Amino acid sequence: HKVFGVAAVKQRSQQCYTTGKPYNEVDGTWIRKWKLTHANNKDVWIIKSRLCGRGFLDKQKWDVQRSSSTASRISQRLAVSLAQLEKLDMELWDISNAFLQGLSFKELYDRAAELGLEVKAQRDVLFRPPRNVWRHLKTLDSKTFRVEGEEDYLFVLVLLKPMYGLVDAPFLWGIALSIVLKRDLGATPSLLDKDFYYWTERGHIIA
């Protein structure tokens, strides 16, 4: 999802070699848990791993917008009522790695006026991952992430968009979802709840 870039750093310095900006560095950890999935007509337990940043270390956490795109309880009840009245089927979808599919920091900064948002400053977050992350990234892109084991302390990852653990990850995901629903799919947001969308045809709600 184009979440990371690479930057060289100087230990015990106040600025990053590549960006030339003061550090806003967070580290992270792997969160692992068992997950029950269905494969080959049987239930299988797998281990799910998620790389999360420790967002409390983010020096910009008080300067960014934070909100979660969740429909209100009234909207959820309204959806059930409308489904019954219009004889619509109800489905529950899960979007994999949702937060990693939100807007990038640069997209938010460049499109703030278009989206009607106030952005005080462009986000600048460096991420120091667990050491084994470099090995995994190298298998995906050996040219970009060519960092040897004894050199990993000289490099950090530049976050191009928020990862799990950052306070603005839900907000940027919600903005990206809103753009797709309204611009690409023609949905209309409710006047009562901006996170409730619907489609109409000939005066009837069809979705």
Side-chain angles (χ1 to χ4, degrees), residues 37 100 158 182:
T37 65
L100 303 184
V158 178
K182 291 190 292 186

Side-chain angles (χ1 to χ4, degrees), residues 5 27 34 76 122 149 187 205:
D27 59 13
W34 290 99
Q76 295 173 23
Q122 187 167 347
I205 292 179

Side-chain angles (χ1 to χ4, degrees), residues 143-157:
K143 293 182 179 179
T144 302
F145 301 104
R146 190 171 53 189
V147 177
E148 301 302 330
E150 64 276 8
E151 298 178 345
D152 56 14
Y153 72 97
L154 294 173
F155 295 88
V156 291
L157 294 169

Side-chain angles (χ1 to χ4, degrees), residues 70-190:
T70 304
S72 66
R73 182 173 297 181
I74 293 178
S75 294
Q76 295 173 23
R77 292 177 176 176
L78 179 61
V80 175
S81 298
L82 289 173
Q84 291 297 316
L85 290 173
E86 301 292 343
K87 295 181 172 48
L88 302 175
D89 294 329
M90 296 198 68
E91 297 181 4
L92 179 65
W93 294 356
D94 177 48
I95 300 178
S96 178
N97 298 318
F99 287 177
L100 303 184
Q101 301 187 55
L103 291 184
S104 69
F105 295 136
K106 186 176 186 307
E107 287 175 325
L108 177 65
Y109 188 77
D110 292 342
R111 302 180 61 181
E114 172 192 344
L115 299 171
L117 302 172
E118 180 183 0
V119 179
K120 298 178 180 179
Q122 187 167 347
R123 290 281 268 146
D124 179 35
V125 187
L126 303 178
F127 177 62
R128 186 172 294 280
R131 297 187 66 177
N132 63 347
V133 169
W134 294 109
R135 183 178 73 249
H136 295 303
L137 292 175
K138 189 175 180 179
T139 61
L140 299 175
D141 187 346
S142 59
K143 293 182 179 179
T144 302
F145 301 104
R146 190 171 53 189
V147 177
E148 301 302 330
E150 64 276 8
E151 298 178 345
D152 56 14
Y153 72 97
L154 294 173
F155 295 88
V156 291
L157 294 169
V158 178
L159 291 185
L160 306 178
K161 58 174 61 175
M163 64 184 300
Y164 286 94
L166 268 61
V167 295
D168 50 348
F171 174 71
L172 291 180
W173 150 244
I175 294 297
L177 178 62
S178 174
I179 291 174
V180 171
L181 290 175
K182 291 190 292 186
R183 183 192 64 189
D184 300 338
L185 300 179
T188 301
S190 169

